[in-house]
Amino acid sequence: MSTQSRGVSSGKLAIDGGAPAVIHPLPPMYPGGMRIGQEEEASVLEVLRSKRLFRYYGPEPGPSKVAELEQRFAKMVGTRYALAVSSGTAALAAALAALEVGPGDEVIVPAYTWISTAAAVVAVGAVPVIAEVDDSLTLDPADFEEKITKYTKAVIPVHMRGTPANMDAIMSIANRYGLKVLEDVAQADGASYHGLRLGSIGHAGAFSLQFNKILTSGEGGMVTTSEEEVYERALMYHDVAASQRAGLPQDRTIIGVNCRMSELQGAVALAQLDKLEGILRDSRKHKRALKEAIADVVESRTMGFRRLHDEDGEAGISLVFYMRTPEAAQYVVSALHAEGLTCSSVLFQRGSSDYHVYFHWTPILNKQYWGAQGPWRWNQRDVSYDREMCPRTLDLLGRAVHLDISPDLTDTNVGEMVVAINKVLESL
Ligand SMILES: Cc1ncc(COP(=O)(O)O)c(C=O)c1O
């Protein structure tokens, strides 16, 4: 395509040698991480000075940062309990164990999620069954229902890139089949679905506080639930001595692994939690402004924006529109990069390994495990995988142009992003 044949209306494209539209540098996409400041410093220093680095005890008696974090996190999400753990993957595994998922069980996971969602299923000895996403890029309820067998025990809807899954449809199917619902909220701290915070809708929620996430303590995770027994089992999974500490009866004790959160992480996460509403307010504001300003050109030159199940509730950290073909998506992203919009990407490319797409989950697809056959040996039917098994997901992701929306964008950044996107799309 030459510049002339694309009928450029707002200046020569940078990919064709024109001046880039984005001049001011974009902030790195570490929403919570970029807001680390004096509050985190003071909180960590307080812990260090007390020498109490372990949540359950230290040289002097005193309050635990992790315990305070749990209380405040549960309040924010709207659940009775929150349990702090060492990572989002650990939160998923602890929640699955707490929901009594184990060998012989199948768990349905979406084809578009970080590999941890499936890895946690394997970690508790169960088998992941992969289902399609729809044009919201979250679990397709129809394919979820299609994939249910008599061995299905649970489903993990994932609120991808700050955006809620179709929880009404998923809950109603899950209830009909008596399945447990574990929400994967790793990428959507603080977002909500029709007035309910994510992580409070299913039987349990799992959050991540890893460095890329909306809130961060470098590493960390949270399990949320309102069910006492689920909380107790998660507690025992995350701390091998929990039943002794909590005085729980030995005949109800389950064995677990230690994946506790340290007081240092708790101190950082607690300071971050105070910043959540500000982060959400800013990213939502930038996303709204950007979306409005590119809406006409997206409507006329592309296949439209990603479908959203609750536009007001989503975290606002990403924006997606679909092109007609993967080639067009790749061209648009190359042109946006040339304009200086380095926060843009195509969500799936066959030749570029990315653990967000099941197609690239080689260890799962090949059932590579540390012991012979892994959990698949316990499965009562053959669950096998194929790289092409979710063609709709691959088609959607291959045509999806994604933009990171940092809460730390300035109005100037947003203005330049608008110019770049309009310029590139108008040229098509
Ligand atoms: C959707 C999703 N689930 C789970 C995880 C796992 O979180 P962590 O890296 O804290 O183990 C992540 C993040 O990496 C994620 O994006």
Side-chain angles (χ1 to χ4, degrees):
M1 258 191 297
S2 77
T3 305
Q4 269 172 338
S5 66
R6 288 195 301 270
V8 172
S9 59
S10 49
K12 193 172 176 182
L13 295 185
I15 200 171
D16 294 331
V22 176
I23 299 156
H24 295 85
L26 297 167
M29 191 57 191
Y30 303 118
M34 294 306 290
R35 294 199 175 193
I36 290 175
Q38 285 177 348
E39 300 78 8
E40 285 79 357
E41 254 178 59
S43 188
V44 168
L45 272 179
E46 201 188 314
V47 169
L48 281 174
R49 286 183 179 139
S50 76
K51 299 189 171 57
R52 186 226 176 108
L53 304 189
F54 183 48
R55 67 166 299 175
Y56 290 119
Y57 49 79
E60 304 290 338
S64 154
K65 293 277 186 195
V66 174
E68 188 185 343
L69 171 70
E70 290 174 341
Q71 276 168 18
R72 290 192 35 211
F73 205 91
K75 192 157 177 232
M76 181 276 285
V77 174
T79 47
R80 279 179 69 199
Y81 306 99
L83 175 73
V85 293
S86 57
S87 73
T89 311
L92 286 163
L96 286 168
L99 295 170
E100 297 180 297
V101 173
D105 294 330
E106 294 176 11
V107 178
I108 295 174
V109 303
Y112 177 48
T113 175
W114 184 245
I115 191 172
S116 287
T117 316
V121 174
V122 174
V124 298
V127 164
V129 170
I130 303 169
E132 298 264 27
V133 297
D134 60 23
D135 58 354
S136 69
L137 299 183
T138 61
L139 183 65
D140 173 11
D143 200 47
F144 155 41
E145 185 163 9
E146 187 82 8
K147 298 269 160 75
I148 295 171
T149 70
K150 62 181 172 174
Y151 307 114
T152 309
K153 184 79 176 269
V155 59
I156 312 184
V158 183
H159 305 300
M160 276 307 267
R161 307 223 181 237
T163 296
N166 187 351
M167 290 309 290
D168 282 343
I170 291 165
M171 291 307 292
S172 107
I173 295 164
N175 288 338
R176 213 165 344 113
Y177 289 86
L179 305 180
K180 299 292 183 189
V181 178
L182 167 58
E183 294 175 72
D184 183 335
V185 203
Q187 299 192 5
D189 302 328
S192 58
Y193 175 79
H194 303 305
L196 295 173
R197 293 269 196 176
L198 302 179
S200 70
I201 303 165
H203 298 89
F207 294 74
S208 166
L209 299 171
Q210 179 264 344
F211 193 58
N212 276 115
K213 304 303 188 293
I214 294 174
L215 298 179
T216 189
S217 48
E219 294 272 18
M222 279 283 174
V223 178
T224 53
T225 185
S226 288
E227 297 179 21
E228 187 177 2
E229 283 187 12
V230 174
Y231 169 72
E232 278 181 359
R233 278 194 295 268
L235 189 74
M236 291 188 275
Y237 180 87
H238 108 298
D239 174 24
V240 290
S243 65
Q244 294 190 334
R245 288 188 225 283
L248 298 171
Q250 285 296 302
D251 59 0
R252 273 182 32 224
T253 296
I254 58 163
I255 196 68
V257 296
N258 282 347
C259 53
R260 298 172 300 233
M261 179 180 278
S262 96
E263 284 289 285
L264 291 168
Q265 290 165 303
V268 176
L270 203 46
Q272 286 268 296
L273 194 52
D274 283 333
K275 302 182 180 181
L276 177 63
E277 297 308 326
I279 292 172
L280 293 174
R281 181 195 59 227
D282 294 347
S283 48
R284 284 169 174 157
K285 182 185 94 177
H286 298 317
K287 176 164 181 183
R288 227 170 279 131
L290 180 66
K291 196 171 176 185
E292 237 175 74
I294 63 169
D296 285 348
V297 72
V298 167
E299 289 309 323
S300 62
R301 307 295 168 102
T302 76
M303 302 286 283
F305 288 113
R306 171 189 188 184
R307 188 156 58 89
L308 300 174
H309 296 298
D310 181 353
E311 186 145 18
D312 294 331
E314 68 148 345
I317 53 165
S318 87
L319 188 147
V320 173
F321 55 82
Y322 297 105
M323 301 307 297
R324 240 169 264 285
T325 62
E327 293 73 25
Q330 276 161 38
Y331 171 76
V332 165
V333 166
S334 302
L336 290 174
H337 274 237
E339 296 296 339
L341 248 187
T342 46
C343 66
S344 59
S345 59
V346 179
L347 289 177
F348 167 61
Q349 293 180 70
R350 284 171 185 266
S352 173
S353 183
D354 173 1
Y355 270 175
H356 284 100
V357 188
Y358 83 95
F359 181 93
H360 295 298
W361 295 351
T362 300
I364 300 278
L365 301 183
N366 292 347
K367 304 181 181 173
Q368 289 161 212
Y369 193 75
W370 52 88
Q373 297 169 5
W376 291 274
R377 91 186 79 166
W378 294 303
N379 225 58
Q380 329 216 21
R381 70 176 185 109
D382 179 38
V383 174
S384 46
Y385 309 100
D386 171 335
R387 280 192 208 277
E388 308 298 332
M389 64 193 286
C390 293
R392 180 139 189 252
T393 298
L394 298 185
D395 171 55
L396 285 163
L397 294 174
R399 294 187 291 106
V401 175
H402 172 268
L403 296 155
D404 281 326
I405 312 287
S406 160
D408 299 322
L409 290 168
T410 61
D411 291 345
T412 305
N413 288 143
V414 175
E416 290 180 356
M417 289 169 80
V418 169
V419 173
I421 297 165
N422 282 340
K423 186 176 160 190
V424 168
L425 292 182
E426 274 168 16
S427 77
L428 297 175

mmCIF file of all heavy atoms in Angstrom, residues 87-89 92 113-114 116-117 158 160 184 186-187 208-210 213 219-220, ligand 1:
data_model
loop_
_atom_site.group_PDB
_atom_site.id
_atom_site.type_symbol
_atom_site.label_atom_id
_atom_site.label_comp_id
_atom_site.label_asym_id
_atom_site.label_seq_id
_atom_site.Cartn_x
_atom_site.Cartn_y
_atom_site.Cartn_z
ATOM 1 N N SER A 87 1.835 -15.114 45.531
ATOM 2 C CA SER A 87 1.692 -14.755 44.113
ATOM 3 C C SER A 87 0.258 -14.995 43.660
ATOM 4 O O SER A 87 -0.536 -15.632 44.377
ATOM 5 C CB SER A 87 2.634 -15.605 43.238
ATOM 6 O OG SER A 87 2.143 -16.928 43.142
ATOM 7 N N GLY A 88 -0.041 -14.511 42.461
ATOM 8 C CA GLY A 88 -1.363 -14.766 41.885
ATOM 9 C C GLY A 88 -1.548 -16.238 41.576
ATOM 10 O O GLY A 88 -2.650 -16.794 41.736
ATOM 11 N N THR A 89 -0.478 -16.894 41.129
ATOM 12 C CA THR A 89 -0.555 -18.326 40.822
ATOM 13 C C THR A 89 -0.832 -19.111 42.101
ATOM 14 O O THR A 89 -1.658 -20.040 42.112
ATOM 15 C CB THR A 89 0.767 -18.797 40.166
ATOM 16 O OG1 THR A 89 1.090 -17.886 39.116
ATOM 17 C CG2 THR A 89 0.632 -20.194 39.597
ATOM 18 N N LEU A 92 -4.449 -18.709 42.995
ATOM 19 C CA LEU A 92 -5.314 -19.601 42.203
ATOM 20 C C LEU A 92 -5.254 -21.028 42.748
ATOM 21 O O LEU A 92 -6.293 -21.689 42.922
ATOM 22 C CB LEU A 92 -4.876 -19.593 40.726
ATOM 23 C CG LEU A 92 -5.215 -18.339 39.923
ATOM 24 C CD1 LEU A 92 -4.383 -18.285 38.640
ATOM 25 C CD2 LEU A 92 -6.699 -18.298 39.570
ATOM 26 N N THR A 113 -5.641 -16.194 28.542
ATOM 27 C CA THR A 113 -5.324 -15.827 29.919
ATOM 28 C C THR A 113 -3.853 -16.123 30.100
ATOM 29 O O THR A 113 -3.275 -16.894 29.341
ATOM 30 C CB THR A 113 -6.146 -16.612 30.959
ATOM 31 O OG1 THR A 113 -5.687 -16.272 32.280
ATOM 32 C CG2 THR A 113 -6.008 -18.135 30.798
ATOM 33 N N TRP A 114 -3.235 -15.546 31.101
ATOM 34 C CA TRP A 114 -1.845 -15.912 31.382
ATOM 35 C C TRP A 114 -1.810 -17.402 31.752
ATOM 36 O O TRP A 114 -2.724 -17.897 32.411
ATOM 37 C CB TRP A 114 -1.306 -15.028 32.507
ATOM 38 C CG TRP A 114 0.149 -15.245 32.825
ATOM 39 C CD1 TRP A 114 0.656 -15.731 33.989
ATOM 40 C CD2 TRP A 114 1.258 -14.978 31.973
ATOM 41 N NE1 TRP A 114 2.024 -15.785 33.912
ATOM 42 C CE2 TRP A 114 2.426 -15.329 32.681
ATOM 43 C CE3 TRP A 114 1.388 -14.479 30.669
ATOM 44 C CZ2 TRP A 114 3.707 -15.205 32.149
ATOM 45 C CZ3 TRP A 114 2.664 -14.354 30.138
ATOM 46 C CH2 TRP A 114 3.800 -14.713 30.865
ATOM 47 N N SER A 116 -0.658 -19.076 33.925
ATOM 48 C CA SER A 116 -0.816 -19.412 35.346
ATOM 49 C C SER A 116 -2.194 -19.990 35.664
ATOM 50 O O SER A 116 -2.322 -20.821 36.564
ATOM 51 C CB SER A 116 -0.643 -18.158 36.202
ATOM 52 O OG SER A 116 0.692 -17.777 36.233
ATOM 53 N N THR A 117 -3.222 -19.523 34.975
ATOM 54 C CA THR A 117 -4.578 -20.001 35.249
ATOM 55 C C THR A 117 -4.633 -21.514 35.041
ATOM 56 O O THR A 117 -5.185 -22.260 35.871
ATOM 57 C CB THR A 117 -5.593 -19.281 34.332
ATOM 58 O OG1 THR A 117 -5.287 -17.898 34.292
ATOM 59 C CG2 THR A 117 -7.023 -19.490 34.814
ATOM 60 N N VAL A 158 -11.765 -15.326 33.601
ATOM 61 C CA VAL A 158 -10.627 -14.421 33.816
ATOM 62 C C VAL A 158 -11.024 -13.018 33.337
ATOM 63 O O VAL A 158 -11.484 -12.853 32.205
ATOM 64 C CB VAL A 158 -9.380 -14.914 33.055
ATOM 65 C CG1 VAL A 158 -8.185 -14.008 33.346
ATOM 66 C CG2 VAL A 158 -9.058 -16.354 33.438
ATOM 67 N N MET A 160 -9.890 -10.310 31.870
ATOM 68 C CA MET A 160 -8.654 -9.972 31.163
ATOM 69 C C MET A 160 -8.485 -8.483 30.913
ATOM 70 O O MET A 160 -9.378 -7.813 30.443
ATOM 71 C CB MET A 160 -8.607 -10.701 29.824
ATOM 72 C CG MET A 160 -8.086 -12.115 29.916
ATOM 73 S SD MET A 160 -6.484 -12.226 30.744
ATOM 74 C CE MET A 160 -5.352 -12.150 29.374
ATOM 75 N N ASP A 184 -10.570 -15.185 38.251
ATOM 76 C CA ASP A 184 -9.165 -14.778 38.170
ATOM 77 C C ASP A 184 -9.145 -13.260 37.947
ATOM 78 O O ASP A 184 -9.453 -12.772 36.857
ATOM 79 C CB ASP A 184 -8.461 -15.520 37.027
ATOM 80 C CG ASP A 184 -6.977 -15.186 36.937
ATOM 81 O OD1 ASP A 184 -6.578 -14.101 37.394
ATOM 82 O OD2 ASP A 184 -6.221 -16.011 36.382
ATOM 83 N N ALA A 186 -6.468 -11.329 38.531
ATOM 84 C CA ALA A 186 -5.060 -10.894 38.550
ATOM 85 C C ALA A 186 -4.852 -9.572 37.814
ATOM 86 O O ALA A 186 -4.034 -8.756 38.221
ATOM 87 C CB ALA A 186 -4.174 -11.975 37.943
ATOM 88 N N GLN A 187 -5.604 -9.370 36.725
ATOM 89 C CA GLN A 187 -5.373 -8.177 35.898
ATOM 90 C C GLN A 187 -6.422 -7.094 36.130
ATOM 91 O O GLN A 187 -6.516 -6.159 35.331
ATOM 92 C CB GLN A 187 -5.369 -8.579 34.419
ATOM 93 C CG GLN A 187 -4.291 -9.573 34.063
ATOM 94 C CD GLN A 187 -4.119 -9.744 32.564
ATOM 95 O OE1 GLN A 187 -4.741 -9.064 31.767
ATOM 96 N NE2 GLN A 187 -3.265 -10.678 32.176
ATOM 97 N N SER A 208 -3.487 -10.951 41.816
ATOM 98 C CA SER A 208 -2.015 -10.929 41.782
ATOM 99 C C SER A 208 -1.524 -9.531 42.141
ATOM 100 O O SER A 208 -2.135 -8.533 41.749
ATOM 101 C CB SER A 208 -1.524 -11.285 40.381
ATOM 102 O OG SER A 208 -0.151 -10.949 40.245
ATOM 103 N N LEU A 209 -0.411 -9.480 42.861
ATOM 104 C CA LEU A 209 0.226 -8.195 43.171
ATOM 105 C C LEU A 209 1.629 -8.152 42.555
ATOM 106 O O LEU A 209 2.522 -7.467 43.053
ATOM 107 C CB LEU A 209 0.293 -8.000 44.689
ATOM 108 C CG LEU A 209 -1.064 -7.959 45.411
ATOM 109 C CD1 LEU A 209 -0.878 -7.993 46.925
ATOM 110 C CD2 LEU A 209 -1.853 -6.724 45.023
ATOM 111 N N GLN A 210 1.810 -8.917 41.475
ATOM 112 C CA GLN A 210 3.088 -8.944 40.755
ATOM 113 C C GLN A 210 3.324 -7.565 40.122
ATOM 114 O O GLN A 210 2.401 -6.751 40.033
ATOM 115 C CB GLN A 210 3.009 -10.095 39.720
ATOM 116 C CG GLN A 210 4.208 -10.287 38.844
ATOM 117 C CD GLN A 210 4.050 -9.583 37.524
ATOM 118 O OE1 GLN A 210 2.956 -9.200 37.154
ATOM 119 N NE2 GLN A 210 5.161 -9.396 36.819
ATOM 120 N N LYS A 213 0.972 -5.408 37.734
ATOM 121 C CA LYS A 213 -0.449 -5.333 38.023
ATOM 122 C C LYS A 213 -0.892 -3.943 38.523
ATOM 123 O O LYS A 213 -0.075 -3.086 38.801
ATOM 124 C CB LYS A 213 -0.819 -6.416 39.053
ATOM 125 C CG LYS A 213 -0.419 -7.821 38.604
ATOM 126 C CD LYS A 213 -1.047 -8.185 37.266
ATOM 127 C CE LYS A 213 -0.853 -9.634 36.857
ATOM 128 N NZ LYS A 213 0.536 -10.019 36.557
ATOM 129 N N GLU A 219 5.872 -9.006 44.203
ATOM 130 C CA GLU A 219 5.235 -10.331 44.115
ATOM 131 C C GLU A 219 4.139 -10.340 45.170
ATOM 132 O O GLU A 219 4.235 -9.651 46.179
ATOM 133 C CB GLU A 219 6.222 -11.442 44.470
ATOM 134 C CG GLU A 219 7.370 -11.623 43.510
ATOM 135 C CD GLU A 219 7.041 -12.568 42.362
ATOM 136 O OE1 GLU A 219 5.846 -12.824 42.093
ATOM 137 O OE2 GLU A 219 8.001 -13.039 41.733
ATOM 138 N N GLY A 220 3.142 -11.156 44.959
ATOM 139 C CA GLY A 220 2.089 -11.268 45.971
ATOM 140 C C GLY A 220 0.772 -11.663 45.336
ATOM 141 O O GLY A 220 0.613 -11.608 44.109
HETATM 142 C C1 LIG B 1 -4.694 -13.537 34.310
HETATM 143 C C2 LIG B 1 -3.553 -13.876 35.233
HETATM 144 N N1 LIG B 1 -3.691 -14.894 36.090
HETATM 145 C C3 LIG B 1 -2.714 -15.223 36.951
HETATM 146 C C4 LIG B 1 -1.524 -14.537 36.987
HETATM 147 C C5 LIG B 1 -0.445 -14.993 37.907
HETATM 148 O O1 LIG B 1 -0.011 -14.029 38.794
HETATM 149 P P1 LIG B 1 1.469 -14.120 39.418
HETATM 150 O O2 LIG B 1 2.418 -13.683 38.363
HETATM 151 O O3 LIG B 1 1.406 -13.168 40.566
HETATM 152 O O4 LIG B 1 1.678 -15.523 39.850
HETATM 153 C C6 LIG B 1 -1.342 -13.451 36.114
HETATM 154 C C7 LIG B 1 -0.138 -12.597 36.119
HETATM 155 O O5 LIG B 1 0.941 -12.805 35.859
HETATM 156 C C8 LIG B 1 -2.376 -13.126 35.203
HETATM 157 O O6 LIG B 1 -2.237 -12.120 34.336
#
